[in-house]
Amino acid sequence: MAKSLGLVLGSGAARGWAHVGVLKALDEMGVKPDVIAGCSVGALVGGAYLLGALEEFQTWARELKPLSALEHFTLKVHRGGLIDTAPAFEAFRSYDKNIEELGVKYAAIATDLASGEEIVLTKGSVIDAARASSAIPVVFHAVRHGERWLVDGALANPAPVSVARDLGAEVVLAVDLNAVPRVLDRFGNRKSGLPALPEPKLPAKPGVTGAVAKLIEDTQAAIKRQIDFAKARADAAPHLFETAYAAADIFQMHLARARAVADPPDICLQPDMRDAMPTAFDRADEFIKEGYRVLMAERGRLERLMAD
């Protein structure tokens, strides 16, 4: 008899497209998770999957560009944040169920804004739980849940392996989208420098036309412009949003590593999205493919663990 599988879907904003690829790979293998523990975008994708709304969620999320996102949300500045996500989540209310009705154990991880306590949501509305789990502080409004105000679960447990085990998973497969903080790669390795532009080497043979020589000159000038632009970009100071993104990545990376020491998964997938910004929803196909790839690379090991 196969062991019960717990799937942990970690935080990571638009990188969460990789979760879709992992789920597609599991479906291809004929493997259904017995437990799904999600944090932030992981709670969103896991919830949409269990509600049978994953295709609709993908269609909606693919439309999210930095500016068009405001068409789906409501810009409503108050003490809890800049953007009210309620209108977007209400669009999926017809798919909603109580977590207890899903047939698969599901948990969404949120953080108590008052105490910093990790809150594991395993009852009530799937949509409300996912919304609370993904309420990025300052950006999105905090979500009222009973007597608590909840925000993004990534502040407490970005890859909730411990929760999956508490819910009975015998084998835990975790997807960590923040294994390496990659947002500010352009500020690293400055000492190595950029490649020098080679000196022009124009054709010396009299048979070569002036048009060919001009083409070579133009090509080398274009290369030089690209190198100059790359150098200027590398030398530029971090701007506000880059700093915020990087800080979030670094924080989640260290927290996920610390939590993994105490609660290691049986398999940890780390999709390679080194240049992915949190708002890169337009790169869905690329990230889905990467999630599929990393799962299939571990297919044999997963099957052995499930059968042992």
Side-chain angles (χ1 to χ4, degrees):
M1 181 177 180
K3 294 179 179 178
S4 61
L5 175 65
L7 177 61
V8 173
L9 301 177
S11 59
R15 298 168 188 164
W17 282 121
H19 293 326
V20 177
V22 170
L23 287 166
K24 287 180 180 293
L26 288 174
D27 280 345
E28 186 174 308
M29 292 171 59
V31 175
K32 300 293 183 184
D34 301 284
V35 174
I36 294 181
C39 178
S40 197
V41 70
L44 287 172
V45 173
Y49 171 76
L50 293 175
L51 291 174
L54 190 56
E55 291 299 323
E56 291 77 4
F57 174 77
Q58 289 184 69
T59 299
W60 172 78
R62 284 173 185 272
E63 298 174 357
L64 293 181
K65 305 293 190 299
L67 294 179
S68 66
L70 294 179
E71 298 174 3
H72 301 270
F73 304 125
T74 299
L75 184 61
K76 187 178 180 182
V77 179
H78 66 32
R79 288 176 294 177
L82 299 175
I83 298 173
D84 182 7
T85 59
F89 282 89
E90 285 303 314
F92 292 90
R93 188 63 66 180
S94 63
Y95 294 95
D96 198 17
K97 294 180 181 178
N98 283 335
I99 295 172
E100 302 93 316
E101 302 172 15
L102 292 175
V104 170
K105 293 181 180 180
Y106 169 80
I109 312 308
T111 304
D112 187 327
L113 189 58
S115 66
E117 178 185 358
E118 174 186 339
I119 304 299
V120 181
L121 302 172
T122 56
K123 294 181 180 179
S125 162
V126 173
I127 286 178
D128 290 345
R131 181 183 167 215
S133 180
S134 56
I136 301 171
V138 180
V139 179
F140 296 147
H141 291 185
V143 175
R144 185 84 180 193
H145 188 270
E147 297 301 314
R148 302 176 187 269
W149 283 101
L150 302 182
V151 292
D152 199 329
L155 298 177
N157 197 351
V161 173
S162 57
V163 174
R165 293 209 188 276
D166 288 344
L167 292 176
E170 297 173 284
V171 175
V172 175
L173 171 67
V175 187
D176 183 359
L177 303 179
N178 298 288
V180 178
R182 297 176 172 120
V183 173
L184 293 189
D185 272 1
R186 73 179 179 88
F187 298 109
N189 300 320
R190 284 191 171 191
K191 293 181 180 179
S192 62
L194 292 165
L197 184 69
E199 291 296 322
K201 295 181 179 179
L202 301 180
K205 295 181 180 180
V208 175
T209 66
V212 173
K214 183 66 166 59
L215 176 61
I216 293 173
E217 288 179 340
D218 289 346
T219 300
Q220 290 182 323
I223 293 172
K224 185 178 185 304
R225 285 194 298 271
Q226 291 177 358
I227 292 176
D228 288 344
F229 175 78
K231 289 176 66 177
R233 184 172 183 271
D235 290 338
H239 62 61
L240 174 63
F241 291 109
E242 279 184 315
T243 303
Y245 292 152
D249 276 359
I250 292 167
F251 168 78
Q252 291 179 66
M253 176 199 69
H254 285 295
L255 181 55
R257 286 179 180 178
R259 296 294 301 246
V261 171
D263 300 295
D266 296 287
I267 297 176
C268 184
L269 304 180
Q270 298 179 346
D272 184 356
M273 294 173 288
R274 67 186 64 235
D275 60 344
M277 296 293 281
T279 55
F281 290 98
D282 57 335
R283 297 174 64 183
D285 293 335
E286 176 187 346
F287 295 167
I288 290 171
K289 183 177 180 181
E290 176 63 9
Y292 179 91
R293 183 193 69 79
V294 293
L295 187 282
M296 282 305 188
E298 295 287 354
R299 176 174 182 167
R301 186 152 70 107
L302 178 59
E303 289 175 337
R304 289 191 296 273
L305 285 170
M306 294 291 293
D308 286 346

